[in-house]
Amino acid sequence: MSMVYIDAEKPERPLVLLKGAVERVFDASAAYARGDSNSFTETCQREDTNLDIASLNDEVRTQILAVMEEIAAQGLRVLALASRRLDIPNDKSSSSSSKTNIGTLIEKLTREEIENDMVFLGLVGIYDPPRPESVTAVKACKDAGITVHMLTGDHATTATAIAREIKIVEPDAPNGAIMTATEFNKLTDVEIDALPSLPLVIARCSPETKVRMIEAGRRRGKYLAMTGDGVNDAPALSLAPVGIAMGNGSDAAKNASDLVLTDDNFDSIRAAIAEGRRMFDNIQRFLLHLLTVNIAEVILLVIGLAFVDDGGESVFPLSPLSILWINMSTSGAPAFGLGLEKAEVNVMTRPPHSMKTGVFTWPVVIDCFVYGIAMGAVCLLSFVAVVWGRYDGFLGRDCNADASADVCRVVFRGRSTVFATLTFCILYYAWELKSLDRPLFNLTSGQPFWVDLWSNPMLFWSVIVGAALVPIFIYVPGLNTDVFYQSEIGWEWGVVAGMVVLFIVFCELWKVFVRSKSWYVNIGKGQDDVPWAKSPEPRDQEQSREKPFIELEVPP
């Protein structure tokens, strides 16, 4: 970047100051200023008289590059400085020496005309330390199956030092893990696709390099995101499925992106990933609870059609109003509470979810049927235990619509038993879904299970209140027999307790011996892609993430 300043004393000799990458400044320079540290001040304030100017030959360039490597190896961003004086014709008749006319003449000059024959002044090393949370955020991403990549405009040595500092590049990283944009751009798409993995660090990155990196990730089937703050980041931001602009970035970057990171903090992206995983898990819990209950009710009612009374009509194990009430009170509220569940302890220590399977993975589908069948089975067993275990299978007559307590006494008692059993199983099952693979009584190692139960007050009270309402529909006269077609029970509470305990034991055993096993979790999975991120390093650079591919430009 170059700036032109008009000298008030000598407006016809404007001063040009240039800063940028060493190679870029070399291309624009023909000489260099020798001397002490005052050379820069002298060059800016005076004519080139009394200055020790020498030709910028190959030997001097080599020496400067060696110094640059030493500075960059310390993790400093290296900028080169140069200057020159422009010669503006002094036509007094047209008053061209005035600042206004001089400025007009300068505006007509091209960048190539201004940035040439510069005098190389020296190097500047700028230390812009990564944010303290950058190291932990990168480590958290790695633990979550996210490989962080960094694209940066800095020199390769600087980029490498910073990448090692924040642990993007480990000491045992392969040679191809660090490349320059020149090396990367020389590769054809076929050669890039043949690489074992995309480079972890690309230095001296150009907008075209970022675009090619995203295209390479997409060809590998990765999910991509990109962060950036400059105008030159806009093409990659718009190309990536998820573009993330920095809050202090340019309007062009914000307009091309999907999201704006207001605090410019890479750790916010890590936190967003964790929150997204929590929401995904809770959606699975919510759906698993609702579908399991529906399967249990279908099994209960369909198989219940086999219970035929003396009149040849099927006797429902539950009345229609009982089913409606259960769906309203004991399914909706707990399922809603599951949507507010906190993230599991291992939410950021497990691989990302496959983009191909969505919410309904094979383990979730299997769980729906397994838990649903188990819940429906214990409810059927409770009805059978009451009607056939104690009363020899007497089902009365027309008990689906007749509130005659005498004829339908046995059926009504059986229905009350099923009502209580199904309600308690549904409510307890909501607690079981706090973790899909850990036993309820050991959700968090070293912590009492009731602490985990209380951590979600909405779910806790929906279960407690739902259970407390059960006796109302069993013992309130008129409401029980005339509305829900069930009646008071006594010894049947033992059947209810036994069936609920049986369901609890089944759920715990299923988690321990099946749900927690890796072979079960991987059912239906192919060789899925794992997420990755490309992101600029915590300063003005770009970090990314592999599996699914995400390109992120991360501030300090």
Side-chain angles (χ1 to χ4, degrees), residues 115-440:
E115 295 180 0
N116 69 80
D117 293 329
M118 306 289 291
V119 177
F120 186 90
L121 300 177
L123 302 174
V124 176
I126 302 175
Y127 182 55
D128 188 6
R131 289 185 176 183
E133 63 269 21
S134 296
V135 177
T136 56
V138 170
K139 182 181 184 301
C141 287
K142 290 184 177 181
D143 293 340
I146 300 166
T147 304
V148 180
H149 293 237
M150 183 175 79
L151 303 187
T152 174
D154 284 345
H155 187 270
T157 307
T158 303
T160 302
I162 295 170
R164 294 189 186 280
E165 181 179 356
I166 61 178
K167 307 303 181 183
I168 291 178
V169 177
E170 299 293 343
D172 57 349
N175 295 332
I178 302 173
M179 299 177 67
T180 63
T182 303
E183 295 170 339
F184 186 79
N185 291 335
K186 285 181 179 179
L187 299 176
T188 64
D189 290 347
V190 175
E191 291 173 330
I192 292 175
D193 294 341
L195 294 174
S197 61
L198 293 174
L200 295 174
V201 177
I202 299 183
R204 290 293 189 229
C205 207
S206 65
E208 293 78 11
T209 308
K210 300 173 185 179
V211 170
R212 291 197 70 196
M213 192 73 162
I214 290 182
E215 290 174 343
R218 298 182 86 165
R219 289 195 301 272
R220 292 173 180 240
K222 311 297 181 182
Y223 185 78
L224 305 110
M226 160 74 187
T227 70
D229 58 2
V231 176
N232 59 353
D233 293 321
L237 286 171
S238 60
L239 179 64
V242 180
I244 306 173
M246 299 296 106
N248 62 357
S250 64
D251 290 339
K254 294 178 182 178
N255 291 334
S257 64
D258 302 295
L259 303 172
V260 177
L261 194 63
T262 56
D263 62 356
D264 296 347
N265 190 349
F266 178 62
D267 192 55
S268 296
I269 298 173
R270 191 264 330 148
I273 295 171
E275 178 64 13
R277 292 188 175 189
R278 183 193 73 86
M279 294 175 63
F280 183 89
D281 290 345
N282 287 349
I283 291 173
Q284 283 192 323
R285 293 187 180 102
F286 177 86
L287 293 175
L288 189 56
H289 186 272
L290 292 181
L291 294 177
T292 297
V293 172
N294 286 333
I295 291 173
E297 292 174 350
V298 168
I299 290 175
L300 174 64
L301 297 178
V302 171
I303 297 180
L305 295 175
F307 303 145
V308 180
D309 61 13
D310 293 344
E313 294 184 1
S314 296
V315 177
F316 303 149
L318 278 178
S319 68
L321 278 179
S322 296
I323 292 293
L324 181 61
W325 170 255
I326 289 174
N327 286 336
M328 290 177 57
S329 64
T330 61
S331 294
F336 180 75
L338 287 171
L340 303 177
E341 189 66 23
K342 295 180 180 179
E344 293 190 55
V345 178
N346 67 338
V347 69
M348 288 298 286
T349 58
R350 66 182 190 225
H353 185 78
S354 172
M355 295 293 296
K356 300 176 182 178
T357 56
V359 175
F360 290 103
T361 61
W362 276 109
V364 169
V365 173
I366 295 173
D367 284 351
C368 284
F369 283 96
V370 169
Y371 288 126
I373 292 172
M375 189 182 299
V378 296
C379 292
L380 282 171
L381 287 176
S382 65
F383 187 80
V384 171
V386 172
V387 176
W388 275 269
R390 178 71 179 271
Y391 299 107
D392 300 326
F394 180 69
L395 296 175
R397 179 184 291 271
D398 198 23
C399 294
N400 293 330
D402 188 358
S404 175
D406 294 332
V407 177
C408 299
R409 182 174 64 89
V410 175
V411 172
F412 282 12
R413 295 177 73 93
R415 283 177 179 167
S416 294
T417 306
V418 174
F419 179 83
T421 301
L422 181 59
T423 301
F424 291 145
C425 284
I426 292 173
L427 295 175
Y428 170 81
Y429 180 58
W431 276 342
E432 277 286 353
L433 292 179
K434 287 177 70 71
S435 176
L436 299 183
D437 54 5
R438 292 185 64 85
L440 175 64

Side-chain angles (χ1 to χ4, degrees), residues 462-523:
S462 65
V463 172
I464 297 301
V465 172
L469 293 176
V470 171
I472 296 176
F473 304 97
I474 295 178
Y475 291 103
V476 173
L479 180 65
N480 54 4
T481 56
D482 297 336
V483 179
F484 287 88
Y485 298 116
Q486 54 196 31
S487 63
E488 300 176 1
I489 57 175
W491 63 270
E492 289 87 352
W493 283 110
V495 176
V496 173
M499 293 304 163
V500 173
V501 170
L502 180 62
F503 180 70
I504 292 174
V505 171
F506 174 82
C507 291
E508 295 293 281
L509 292 177
W510 177 260
K511 284 185 176 182
V512 171
F513 293 104
V514 179
R515 196 59 171 87
S516 60
K517 305 303 180 182
S518 59
W519 63 265
Y520 183 81
V521 177
N522 293 325
I523 291 178

Side-chain angles (χ1 to χ4, degrees), residues 36-172:
D36 56 23
S37 59
N38 295 324
S39 297
F40 175 72
T41 304
E42 294 175 0
T43 305
C44 292
Q45 296 179 350
R46 302 173 52 187
E47 299 287 340
D48 55 358
T49 57
N50 300 324
L51 286 180
D52 189 2
I53 303 298
S55 174
L56 188 61
N57 54 39
D58 292 341
E59 181 181 354
V60 175
R61 291 172 186 262
T62 302
Q63 294 175 355
I64 294 175
L65 289 175
V67 175
M68 179 199 68
E69 293 287 347
E70 294 178 4
I71 298 175
Q74 303 173 40
L76 303 181
R77 168 175 286 175
V78 183
L79 294 177
L81 306 177
S83 71
R84 67 168 291 196
R85 291 278 184 172
L86 294 176
D87 292 319
I88 303 297
N90 187 3
D91 187 355
K92 296 182 179 180
S93 61
S94 62
S95 301
S96 61
S97 62
S98 67
K99 288 186 178 181
T100 303
N101 291 337
I102 292 291
T104 302
L105 294 174
I106 292 175
E107 290 177 355
K108 295 180 180 179
L109 298 176
T110 64
R111 181 173 183 176
E112 290 73 17
E113 292 174 330
I114 293 176
E115 295 180 0
N116 69 80
D117 293 329
M118 306 289 291
V119 177
F120 186 90
L121 300 177
L123 302 174
V124 176
I126 302 175
Y127 182 55
D128 188 6
R131 289 185 176 183
E133 63 269 21
S134 296
V135 177
T136 56
V138 170
K139 182 181 184 301
C141 287
K142 290 184 177 181
D143 293 340
I146 300 166
T147 304
V148 180
H149 293 237
M150 183 175 79
L151 303 187
T152 174
D154 284 345
H155 187 270
T157 307
T158 303
T160 302
I162 295 170
R164 294 189 186 280
E165 181 179 356
I166 61 178
K167 307 303 181 183
I168 291 178
V169 177
E170 299 293 343
D172 57 349

